[in-house]
Amino acid sequence: MRKELASGLRVELKLRRPKVFPICIAKEGKSLGLTLNYITDGVTMSVKGIKDGAAKDCRADLQAGDRILSVNDQIGVEKMLAELRDSASPKLVVSRAAPKAPSSLMF
């Protein structure tokens, strides 16, 4: 792409904005059943997988690859993990990559 830009050709890039939405999960004494990826001092967590548990039972709209931005209005991994552990019905704000559109490059 650097070549194309240097040659003076026109390049068109399309950006995709993520979908951001809330999810409330009623744990009802069960584990969430989520496998999460995170860095302890990080800001967000990503969903690696969904196993049997509250998230699956309540048919939460979660998918592997979703990013958890906050839990019960708390941000930061340590605070979010505490909320996921301690709350009976944690409210998550989740970000999901927009569906892929056909590539579009114009020269």
Side-chain angles (χ1 to χ4, degrees), residues 27 45 71-72 74 76-87 90:
K27 289 175 28 180
M45 300 181 281
V71 178
N72 295 338
Q74 297 294 311
V77 169
E78 289 185 19
K79 290 179 182 178
M80 290 192 295
L81 287 173
E83 291 293 327
L84 289 173
R85 180 187 63 237
D86 299 338
S87 178

Side-chain angles (χ1 to χ4, degrees), residues 19-70:
K19 174 183 173 187
V20 177
F21 54 97
I23 294 177
C24 190
I25 301 172
K27 289 175 28 180
E28 299 176 348
K30 302 174 193 168
S31 74
L32 284 170
L34 298 177
T35 305
L36 303 171
N37 279 337
Y38 57 88
I39 298 171
T40 306
D41 61 349
V43 178
T44 66
M45 300 181 281
S46 70
V47 177
K48 183 177 179 183
I50 303 169
K51 303 182 288 185
D52 289 337
K56 193 173 188 179
D57 291 351
C58 74
R59 296 188 177 109
D61 183 21
L62 278 174
Q63 299 175 6
D66 285 350
R67 185 159 301 279
I68 301 172
L69 305 177
S70 69

